[in-house]
């Protein structure tokens, strides 16, 4: 399922219980990193115009690297999305990319500044995010082999349920939605 992302996000009032459970399962944690994600609107179609936002263009800087990413969530018109097409590539010169986007009339929408700590298991990545002006979250992303989106979603749901740890409310919108005050 290359270029398809299946993930679930929750608010996280208390991360310590979940981290302890991940340690029990043998998860390995990476060092926290700061990610600054600049989101852009396209000149040829307004990503914010539909009642339900279904696509983003993002430039991420973190530590000594950068990337550009485009996501389109499916079902496109649904409030609750099940998966996303995701195309991401490293960027060697992030300032050149910013200037390129400006020259093509892409306009900045919002910047998401977060500290992220990733934990890896064989088929699932768990990330803890502290998002400036938005709060604490946890994301579960399926990283294993699956026959289709339904299979990946079912396996991700089973993993989350097997944790037997209290999570906050499920969040069905991205960090830009939250910072822009959009429900969907």
């Amino acid at each position: 399922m290359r270029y398809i992302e299946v993930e679930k996000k929750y608010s996280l009032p208390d991360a310590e219980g979940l981290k302890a459970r991940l340690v029990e399962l043998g998860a390995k944690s990476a060092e926290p990193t700061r990610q600054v994600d600049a989101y852009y609107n396209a000149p040829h179609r307004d990503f914010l115009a539909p009642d339900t936002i279904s696509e983003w263009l993002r430039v991420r800087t973190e530590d000594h690297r950068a990337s550009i990413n485009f996501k389109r969530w499916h079902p496109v018109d649904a409030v609750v999305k099940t998966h996303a097409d995701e195309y991401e590539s490293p960027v060697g010169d992030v300032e050149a990319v910013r200037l390129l986007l400006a020259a093509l009339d892409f306009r900045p929408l919002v910047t998401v500044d977060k500290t992220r700590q990733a934990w890896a298991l064989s088929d699932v990545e768990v990330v803890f995010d502290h998002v400036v002006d938005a709060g604490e979250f946890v994301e579960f992303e399926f990283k294993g082999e699956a026959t289709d989106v339904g299979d990946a979603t079912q396996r991700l749901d089973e993993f989350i349920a097997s944790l037997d740890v209290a999570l906050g409310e499920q969040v069905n919108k991205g960090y830009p939605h939250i910072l822009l005050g959009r429900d969907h």
Side-chain angles (χ1 to χ4, degrees):
M1 293 192 1
R2 188 174 182 193
Y3 304 122
I4 296 178
E5 177 183 69
V6 175
E7 73 177 18
K8 304 270 179 146
K9 181 185 316 178
Y10 297 84
S11 61
L12 191 62
D14 178 23
E16 295 314 308
L18 178 54
K19 288 181 180 180
R21 180 69 176 120
L22 292 172
V23 168
E24 289 174 10
L25 294 172
K28 304 293 183 208
S29 69
E31 289 297 315
T33 60
R34 180 175 179 224
Q35 297 177 337
V36 179
D37 297 339
Y39 288 82
Y40 291 84
N41 206 354
H44 60 288
R45 72 174 169 265
D46 184 357
F47 295 159
L48 300 179
D51 290 338
T52 304
I53 298 171
S54 292
E55 53 191 346
W56 289 121
L57 177 67
R58 176 195 81 207
V59 175
R60 171 176 286 165
T61 55
E62 108 182 84
D63 297 333
H64 302 290
R65 43 182 194 192
S67 63
I68 190 165
N69 174 291
F70 175 79
K71 284 188 186 181
R72 179 178 294 119
W73 286 277
H74 301 281
V76 171
D77 295 325
V79 172
V80 177
K81 311 296 188 186
T82 59
H83 64 286
D85 299 325
E86 181 176 34
Y87 311 111
E88 185 165 8
S89 185
V91 168
D93 185 343
V94 72
E95 187 57 27
V97 170
R98 288 185 183 116
L99 292 169
L100 178 149
L101 291 171
L104 293 172
D105 293 328
F106 281 76
R107 298 289 176 235
L109 285 172
V110 65
T111 298
V112 176
D113 188 346
K114 69 180 177 281
T115 302
R116 170 169 280 184
Q117 184 178 30
W119 292 63
L121 292 158
S122 61
D123 288 345
V124 177
E125 179 181 60
V126 181
V127 296
F128 294 86
D129 288 335
H130 168 76
V131 181
V132 175
D133 297 327
E136 306 294 326
F137 302 89
V138 62
E139 291 183 0
F140 300 91
E141 183 175 346
F142 185 77
K143 295 287 194 174
E145 293 297 321
T147 56
D148 56 26
V149 170
D151 179 39
T153 302
Q154 178 182 342
R155 292 172 58 191
L156 187 60
D157 287 340
E158 289 169 357
F159 170 78
I160 294 168
S162 76
L163 292 171
D164 197 30
V165 173
L167 300 172
E169 184 176 324
Q170 187 169 355
V171 178
N172 292 311
K173 56 186 171 181
Y175 300 135
H177 293 83
I178 295 168
L179 294 176
L180 289 169
R182 291 284 298 253
D183 287 330
H184 38 76

